Amino acid sequence: MNVRIHPSWKKELEIEFEKDYFKNLTYFVKNEYSEHKIFPPGKEIFAAFDHSAFEDTRVVILGQDPYHGPGQANGLCFSVHDGIAFPPSLINIFKEIENDLGKDLPKTGNLERWADQGVLLLNATLTVRAHQAGSHQNKGWEIFTDRVIEIISQEKENVVFMLWGGYAKKKAKLIDASKHLILTSGHPSPLSANRGYWFGNSHFSQANKYLENHGKKPINW
């Protein structure tokens, strides 16, 4: 099956593309795009992979669903297109970076600038119907993205995995903690953050310290 994805990832994932679950998923997604308003735009479904090649990936941040509001989702978890108002979770991410690293809040919520440095901004589900959160869950995407996590864990070393919230934390079982750094905390959503489960986690400085300690370039958050 010819899937339009960065060549470095295609090499790693081509076996997945031939499996029945992925063929069924492809049929479902194509049908959804033809009959409903789906986010992100079709050309951005695999944007996370296009911006962070396999060999360059050194941080993985895991989200759950793409944003389901108009113009928000751009294929990178927690990220929005330029000019779009920051969603609450993204505001709290930027506030934690401000607290952790002393950086001012940015002017754009487009996180391509992180992805281009090797931060894989991976949603567990890569598509969603407009205004219907979770509408593409349990259709096969999770099987695919779990496999992505496993391949990174198995084939790479010294990658930082940031798992925020209960759903993401469950993915820790897919990661070899003996050769990677797993950082967990509450979700940056207001509900979790306001209860004290997000702010003060210092994940961004911890990630950079770990990368530098293993001879890798830190991320300019």
Side-chain angles (χ1 to χ4, degrees):
M1 182 176 293
N2 185 27
V3 177
R4 286 180 291 178
I5 195 171
H6 191 277
S8 67
W9 287 103
K10 193 159 194 173
K11 176 185 171 187
E12 300 295 331
L13 296 166
E14 57 188 355
I15 293 175
E16 296 302 303
F17 299 147
E18 297 304 322
K19 291 181 178 178
D20 287 343
Y21 86 85
F22 197 89
K23 292 177 181 178
N24 292 336
L25 172 63
T26 300
Y27 176 81
F28 167 77
V29 169
K30 286 182 177 178
N31 193 58
E32 285 285 288
Y33 272 91
S34 68
E35 296 186 0
H36 304 278
K37 182 65 175 176
I38 306 297
F39 298 124
K43 68 179 187 294
E44 295 178 338
I45 292 174
F46 294 108
F49 302 90
D50 293 334
H51 283 277
S52 181
F54 179 76
E55 59 269 18
D56 297 331
T57 296
R58 56 190 192 275
V59 177
V60 178
I61 299 178
L62 187 68
Q64 190 165 0
D65 247 15
Y67 295 122
H68 52 84
Q72 291 181 307
N74 66 357
L76 310 175
C77 72
F78 296 106
S79 174
V80 292
H81 283 292
D82 293 326
I84 299 295
F86 298 176
S89 291
L90 186 57
I91 291 173
N92 285 337
I93 290 171
F94 290 149
K95 284 181 177 178
E96 176 56 25
I97 292 172
E98 185 177 37
N99 295 336
D100 187 16
L101 300 174
K103 294 181 70 101
D104 293 337
L105 266 64
K107 292 182 172 59
T108 175
N110 191 333
L111 302 182
E112 288 180 2
R113 61 187 182 276
W114 295 1
D116 290 338
Q117 297 177 74
V119 181
L120 183 68
L121 295 164
L122 182 66
N123 275 314
T125 303
L126 299 189
T127 53
V128 68
R129 277 190 197 180
H131 310 298
Q132 295 185 41
S135 50
H136 284 188
Q137 292 177 5
N138 302 314
K139 302 297 183 182
W141 277 129
E142 296 92 340
I143 301 173
F144 173 72
T145 52
D146 278 1
R147 186 65 190 132
V148 170
I149 295 169
E150 288 175 336
I151 288 171
I152 294 171
S153 176
Q154 291 164 6
E155 298 190 17
K156 295 179 70 70
E157 292 186 353
N158 307 132
V159 173
V160 180
F161 290 84
M162 297 184 179
L163 308 181
W164 301 335
Y167 180 86
K169 288 177 185 177
K170 293 176 182 177
K171 304 299 182 179
K173 66 180 183 293
L174 305 173
I175 304 162
D176 184 349
S178 71
K179 61 174 183 170
H180 301 289
L181 177 63
I182 303 173
L183 299 175
T184 63
S185 79
H187 196 275
S189 66
L191 182 63
S192 174
N194 293 339
R195 290 178 175 175
Y197 300 134
W198 166 255
F199 291 115
N201 65 32
S202 302
H203 279 190
F204 304 96
S205 61
Q206 286 187 67
N208 278 354
K209 183 177 179 181
Y210 178 84
L211 292 172
E212 289 181 302
N213 287 344
H214 289 88
K216 297 187 178 186
K217 188 176 180 181
I219 305 297
N220 180 10
W221 301 106

